[in-house]
Amino acid sequence: MTTANGVTQLRVLTAEWIKLRSLRSTRWTLAIAAVSMVGLGMLLSWSFANRISDGRSQAGAGLVTVPVRGGIIAQLVIGVLGVLIVSGEYSSGTIRASLAAVPRRLPMLWAKAAVFGTTVLATMTTASFVAFFAGEEIMHRSPAHVSASLSTPGALRVVIGIGLYLTLVALFAVAVATIVRATAAAIAVVAGVLLVLPTLVSLLPPDLLGTDIARYLPSNAGAALLQAGPQTDMLTPWTGFVLFGLYVAFTMLLAARLLQRRDV
Amino acid sequence: MIEAHGLTRRYGGRTAVDGLTFTVRPGIVTGFLGPNGAGKSTTMRMILGLDRPSAGSVTVNGRPYAQHCAPLREVGALLEATAFHAGRSAFDHLHALAATHGIPRRRVAEVLDQVGLGEVAHRRAGGLSLGMGQRLGIAAMLLGDPRTLLLDEPVNGLDPEGIVWIRNLMKGMAATGRTVFVSSHLLGEMAQTAERLIVVSRGTLIADTSVAEFLQRASPARVQVRTPQAARFSELLAGPGVTIVKLADDRLDVGGLTSDQIGQAATHHSITLLELSVHHPSLEEAFMGLTS
């Protein structure tokens, strides 16, 4: 029994990479997330530029944030994909083969998170830059003739922030699916926490701590990184992002604990 | 070599596996026999570390499965036909498993050819038939060229040709000194394949023996006698340890005596025998005898 034949974290990473790229649905879904982000950003940029030229909107921070606002749609797609790469193993029974090969279990979770997180970071950061440049070009060519560049204050942070935010969404989805295991339930939890919870809390009357609570919710905290210009109802960009990261880390640790203890 | 000591698994108030202690030795096929729900699959999953024992322990080749640094080289397992993703090709499925152990791609192609899936290796596995899916599971089992093989109900979904093939595979593997542990609820199937039997019912061990001994112990042979003097012969044969069932006016079913003893008794008492036949119990009957 030599280590030359044994299971190592690096080998498990390779295995998870093979799994990720060998599903056609995964490749398509990632492509849809990237393309929809760019496409929606271009559409929103065009519409925003028109409103500015009509005098219905101020340019302001929107010049930086509007082109990458398609990330809102992308987070749903990334969240669903993150759920599927884990829950698909449970629903198909592959999980037993996977864990028989990696009986210590945690290396598989770390590898899944690392491989999917890195893929999302690379894909969506690229998409974010493309969306930004395309959106700015559209606004620049519009009658309003306005645009921002990466050197505009906050712009680089926002554009890079999209990739970072979506990476945390990806890791959150992987963790939730590891905890919940069933596809539909895991998607409901991910969408519920990221999208529905902020909406519900925003319905609370402001004097009932509505805004105070709202800023600390996971997706609102994370979205602080994606704002340009002064914000009154959100955490500061990096504080918010770190808080979102802590939520995700906590969820991931819970997932690891349950993965180790449970039967499969 | 698989060694279980007091292996127990409870689910809530129900005990699925209750203090199983057994050893599965290399070089032979060992059958793991019991009706559905007897705890066979749970035991197999505990051997692989997929389910946690509530008490007791089980080791494979000397240590718990999860403590092997190259588990696929120690144990190959066929647990379910559909342990793969429908959207992934057979090759990619095995390639990912192989990658965890640094097993090269050519070994993946090799086992796919060995199980007869070479031609469909790069198609979506969702399109495979039940039998082909089972073969893919067997390919995964063989991937690490393991010393110990674990098969849970392997003939399910296989056509007759496939059944013969997997029997020969198991026997061949055992002949090369490997440990082969195969579960089934089909007793006839076990008789074809296994040399030894570990028999469980409702989670408890009821036999750990050779197939022949199991039959003998469970339900010894009975003798059927046909004679016009059935009533009288019945009285003559009666004695301690002898059970006689009257099947018809001229037909008796005798337990506790051999056909030799009955034949001699008939000659001695001038009884006309029309028929004297030894009835060996089927495995099913033997099993019912032990578990009821």
Side-chain angles (χ1 to χ4, degrees):
Chain A
M1 190 152 33
T2 55
T3 46
N5 292 328
V7 179
T8 63
Q9 182 68 65
L10 192 64
R11 283 176 172 163
V12 180
L13 276 167
T14 313
E16 287 301 329
W17 172 240
I18 293 168
K19 280 192 207 164
L20 187 72
R21 68 178 162 76
S22 62
L23 279 184
R24 202 186 318 169
S25 57
T26 307
R27 299 196 297 267
W28 274 105
T29 313
L30 260 179
I32 287 167
V35 169
S36 65
M37 169 159 178
V38 174
L40 192 65
M42 290 166 73
L43 190 68
L44 291 173
S45 300
W46 173 76
S47 146
F48 183 67
N50 281 345
R51 278 185 285 134
I52 293 171
S53 56
D54 291 352
R56 281 181 289 140
S57 278
Q58 295 286 310
L63 281 185
V64 169
T65 56
V66 167
V68 294
R69 215 164 265 172
I72 307 251
I73 291 298
Q75 75 171 338
L76 199 59
V77 183
I78 295 295
V80 169
L81 187 54
V83 165
L84 282 176
I85 65 165
V86 175
S87 66
E89 292 230 4
Y90 284 95
S91 59
S92 66
T94 314
I95 190 69
R96 290 184 196 91
S98 298
L99 293 184
V102 188
R104 286 171 205 267
R105 300 189 180 185
L106 290 190
M108 187 201 72
L109 178 62
W110 306 146
K112 263 195 187 340
V115 164
F116 186 54
T118 309
T119 305
V120 168
L121 182 64
T123 312
M124 298 317 288
T125 302
T126 308
S128 180
F129 275 97
V130 172
F132 182 78
F133 290 128
E136 298 304 337
E137 188 65 25
I138 284 169
M139 291 194 287
H140 183 70
R141 290 185 187 187
S142 74
H145 200 67
V146 287
S147 67
S149 75
L150 285 179
S151 52
T152 307
L156 191 58
R157 166 174 55 75
V158 169
V159 175
I160 288 176
I162 290 280
L164 293 175
Y165 174 82
L166 291 175
T167 303
L168 284 188
V169 169
L171 298 179
F172 181 65
V174 167
V176 167
T178 304
I179 294 167
V180 177
R181 302 196 276 193
T183 306
I187 289 174
V189 171
V190 170
V193 170
L194 296 181
L195 302 175
V196 180
L197 202 56
T199 314
L200 284 182
V201 170
S202 73
L203 296 177
L204 289 175
D207 53 333
L208 266 177
L209 302 168
T211 37
D212 282 339
I213 296 172
R215 74 182 71 184
Y216 296 106
L217 294 175
S219 53
N220 284 352
L225 188 63
L226 313 179
Q227 308 303 322
Q231 300 292 326
T232 52
D233 56 352
M234 295 188 100
L235 299 171
T236 59
W238 291 106
T239 307
F241 184 71
V242 168
L243 178 61
F244 187 33
L246 288 174
Y247 281 119
V248 174
F250 174 79
T251 315
M252 191 61 85
L253 287 176
L254 181 65
R257 183 119 179 88
L258 289 174
L259 180 66
Q260 270 200 312
R261 292 169 55 135
R262 287 199 289 215
D263 295 341
V264 288
Chain B
M1 179 87 96
I2 302 168
E3 291 159 288
H5 296 283
L7 197 59
T8 300
R9 176 65 213 218
R10 293 181 207 95
Y11 295 102
R14 198 175 66 84
T15 304
V17 176
D18 193 358
L20 283 190
T21 298
F22 60 82
T23 301
V24 183
R25 290 184 185 79
I28 54 166
V29 176
T30 304
F32 192 27
L33 186 63
N36 287 329
K40 302 188 300 293
S41 295
T42 305
T43 303
M44 291 230 163
R45 286 200 305 270
M46 286 195 284
I47 294 171
L48 289 173
L50 296 174
D51 283 14
R52 306 285 145 130
S54 308
S57 64
V58 59
T59 60
V60 190
N61 303 334
R63 54 172 84 183
Y65 181 80
Q67 285 176 22
H68 285 289
C69 63
L72 292 187
R73 294 192 183 277
E74 298 293 332
V75 183
L78 174 71
L79 284 188
E80 286 144 293
T82 54
F84 52 82
H85 196 293
R88 201 172 275 128
S89 73
F91 185 91
D92 288 329
H93 171 67
L94 295 184
H95 189 200
L97 292 177
T100 61
H101 283 57
I103 296 168
R105 289 171 64 103
R106 67 182 137 74
R107 174 67 184 157
V108 174
E110 201 174 287
V111 291
L112 281 167
D113 284 338
Q114 191 181 344
V115 302
L117 291 178
E119 294 195 353
V120 295
H122 293 280
R123 280 192 227 153
R124 291 175 82 254
L128 298 180
S129 69
L130 193 58
M132 285 170 136
Q134 193 77 331
R135 284 166 184 266
L136 177 52
I138 291 160
M141 173 183 85
L142 297 173
L143 199 56
D145 194 18
R147 290 196 281 158
T148 299
L149 299 177
L150 225 59
L151 303 95
D152 196 3
E153 304 277 359
V155 302
N156 280 0
L158 288 181
D159 54 16
E161 187 201 355
I163 291 172
V164 172
W165 173 74
I166 196 155
R167 271 185 208 151
N168 291 335
L169 179 81
M170 289 191 284
K171 287 177 184 167
M173 288 286 163
T176 57
R178 291 178 172 86
T179 306
V180 181
F181 191 39
V182 51
S183 83
S184 180
H185 65 282
L186 299 170
L187 307 141
E189 179 55 35
M190 291 285 86
Q192 300 267 3
T193 334
E195 233 174 276
R196 284 193 73 81
L197 284 180
I198 289 169
V199 187
V200 288
S201 174
R202 288 186 219 99
T204 52
L205 186 77
I206 57 174
D208 180 355
T209 173
S210 72
V211 174
E213 273 175 56
F214 173 67
L215 283 171
Q216 192 66 38
R217 212 184 87 191
S219 172
R222 295 184 69 82
V223 183
Q224 302 229 334
V225 181
R226 193 154 68 88
T227 166
Q229 297 135 288
R232 186 171 160 240
F233 196 33
S234 172
E235 282 166 26
L236 290 169
L237 289 176
V242 179
T243 56
I244 301 172
V245 180
K246 196 175 173 198
L247 298 175
D249 280 349
D250 63 344
R251 199 179 277 274
L252 301 173
D253 177 67
V254 184
L257 292 173
T258 65
S259 57
D260 293 14
Q261 290 169 319
I262 295 170
Q264 279 158 9
T267 310
H268 186 73
H269 297 288
S270 304
I271 300 287
T272 308
L273 285 186
L274 301 175
E275 186 185 325
L276 186 63
S277 63
V278 182
H279 175 71
H280 287 288
S282 69
L283 272 165
E284 278 77 7
E285 287 166 316
F287 191 76
M288 301 290 277
L290 265 184
T291 54
S292 62

